[in-house]
Amino acid sequence: MTDRENALLAAVPNQLFIGGAWVDATGGTTFAVHDPATGQVVREVADATPDDGIRALDSAVAAQESWAATAPRARSEILRRAWELVQERAEDLALLMTVEMGKPLVEARGEVAYGGEFLRWFSEEAVRVHGRYGSNPEGTGQMIVSQHPVGPSYFITPWNFPFAMATRKIAPALAAGCTTVLKPAEATPLTSLFFAQLLAEAGLPAGVVNVVTTTSASRISAPLIADPRLRKLSFTGSTGVGRKLIAQAADTVLRVSMELGGNAPFVIFDDADLDKAVEGALAAKFRNIGQACTAANRFIVHERIAEEFAERITARVAAMRIGRGTEEGVTIGPLIDDDAVAKAAELVADAAARGAVVRTGGTRIDRPGSFYEPTVLTGVATGSAILREEIFGPVLAITTFTTEDEAVRLANDTEYGLVSYVYTRDLARGHRMIDRLETGMMGLNVGVVSNAAAPFGGVKQSGVGREGGFEGIHEYLATKYTLIPND
Ligand code: NAP
């Protein structure tokens, strides 16, 4: 680690953030955060107990009434100030993410920009929450439809986008007038702690955002979800954990937003601009070392152009620079841990055993840290696990199709429905794909779709609810209808 990294890490808070104060976990226990590029411990942070989780909820509940009563303009200005502070501290935030999560620094900077945008977007939305007013059809009374903060909200976020997954929930909740408890992933708690400090600097009142870092995700979460004072759960993570949380939330009929797993198809028709398709494929597959819910999982390529696409993409992938994310020119950093490496290796072995050809990569890299070679597979057979499961690693798997109907059938042949990518020069076909592909989002001739101004979210088992866009703030608002008779 460099002197700059050591100084930055030493300055990041490592306690729980509850009621506007930095406090130790009950019993003073801590856990280690690692750099996945080296396996080294970079910082110890507080390991919250279930009691600490409840203390955080107590504090969110205590702050709810006054935060909801705070003028929307005042809430908006705190969010705007937080966005400004993120710009000022962008390099620190990016470096911190690279150290604790492993993504290349250039991508970490991208995440700071993207994640920061939620603060700016929702600072603008905070003052634009409107209802409706009108006569009832009978003409006997007036109907008012108004919007109100849903109340204290609990957020569980994953390690793959430690900053953006937090801002995508916190910013709309604060804009709507809700207080919050955030539980980041065990692997990447530092980014959230750093961000909490920026929110406090931006003038956020005590208790409005609380952060509990822990090694006991389920033990902390269950009592919070069961507590009737909690009014909203928003989770980003795997579909398996999402299912369990939905079941727990049923007991209190808790409102939920679920941003779950994906298995994105990347369909290339034979009329596509292949230069653009190759660039889009690299972005959709290898961003975040393949560890994105939006990562292209299945490349479904027209048989007439499949070999040319495979040759071109293989040449580009074989030339990728692998290393610690802080090194110049690195595009492939480490995976989050050794289990992720083992999973990628297992999926590649299964595909190869069923006849796929490994065009490049296909092995674990022999160096400290959790590295797996960027890999291209062709001729991936139906039934291969890699076509069903989220890969969450740098492996690009190609299958082929002949007709448009076959492409649609293959693309939709999954329980997931987060995002799809389609490359075609035919506008009418593009529109047909918007209708026919069962996903919450689509990139038409583009490999990255995320934008704070857009409603992000999935259909089928990729989740419920939307984050970002005009829709995002409504996840934190409850609609109330009032009838006033005319006489
Ligand atoms: P994960 O294992 O589901 O964990 C996500 C979060 O849930 C972490 O904070 C984790 O804590 C916590 N958690 C795990 N088990 C829990 C339980 N029983 N009760 C309460 N909390 C629990 O997912 P991950 O491996 O971190 O993230 C990758 C997954 O997230 C992928 O499936 C990806 O597609 C999905 N994802 C979806 C989106 C989207 O917007 N749709 C965005 C990003 C990622 P610990 O880590 O401390 O165990």
Side-chain angles (χ1 to χ4, degrees), residues 157 159 168 183 186 235-238 259-260 293 390 456:
T157 52
W159 49 264
R168 216 161 75 168
K183 191 215 75 66
E186 175 184 342
F235 169 75
T236 298
S238 59
E259 296 287 350
L260 308 178
C293 53
E390 243 189 323
F456 188 107

Side-chain angles (χ1 to χ4, degrees), residues 156-161 165 168 183-187 214 217-218 221 235-239 241 244-245 248 259-262 292-293 390 392 418 456 462 467:
I156 305 176
T157 52
W159 49 264
N160 61 344
F161 291 96
M165 296 305 97
R168 216 161 75 168
K183 191 215 75 66
E186 175 184 342
T214 183
S218 59
S221 301
F235 169 75
T236 298
S238 59
T239 295
V241 173
K244 286 187 201 157
L245 295 175
Q248 289 175 30
E259 296 287 350
L260 308 178
C293 53
E390 243 189 323
F392 244 58
L418 190 60
F456 188 107
S462 285
E467 292 188 323

Side-chain angles (χ1 to χ4, degrees), residues 99-130:
V99 168
E100 70 172 345
M101 184 271 159
K103 68 181 71 191
L105 196 51
V106 62
E107 291 191 25
R109 290 187 183 118
E111 183 176 344
V112 173
Y114 169 58
E117 276 309 310
F118 289 97
L119 299 166
R120 182 157 68 160
W121 174 265
F122 285 108
S123 87
E124 291 156 356
E125 289 299 283
V127 291
R128 313 213 193 291
V129 173
H130 301 301

Side-chain angles (χ1 to χ4, degrees), residues 31 47-50 154 183 186 213-222:
F31 66 96
D47 191 359
T49 64
Y154 180 44
K183 191 215 75 66
E186 175 184 342
T213 52
T214 183
T215 56
S216 316
S218 59
R219 286 202 310 123
I220 294 275
S221 301

Side-chain angles (χ1 to χ4, degrees), residues 72 77 111 262 362 436:
E77 280 172 0
E111 183 176 344
R436 298 185 74 190

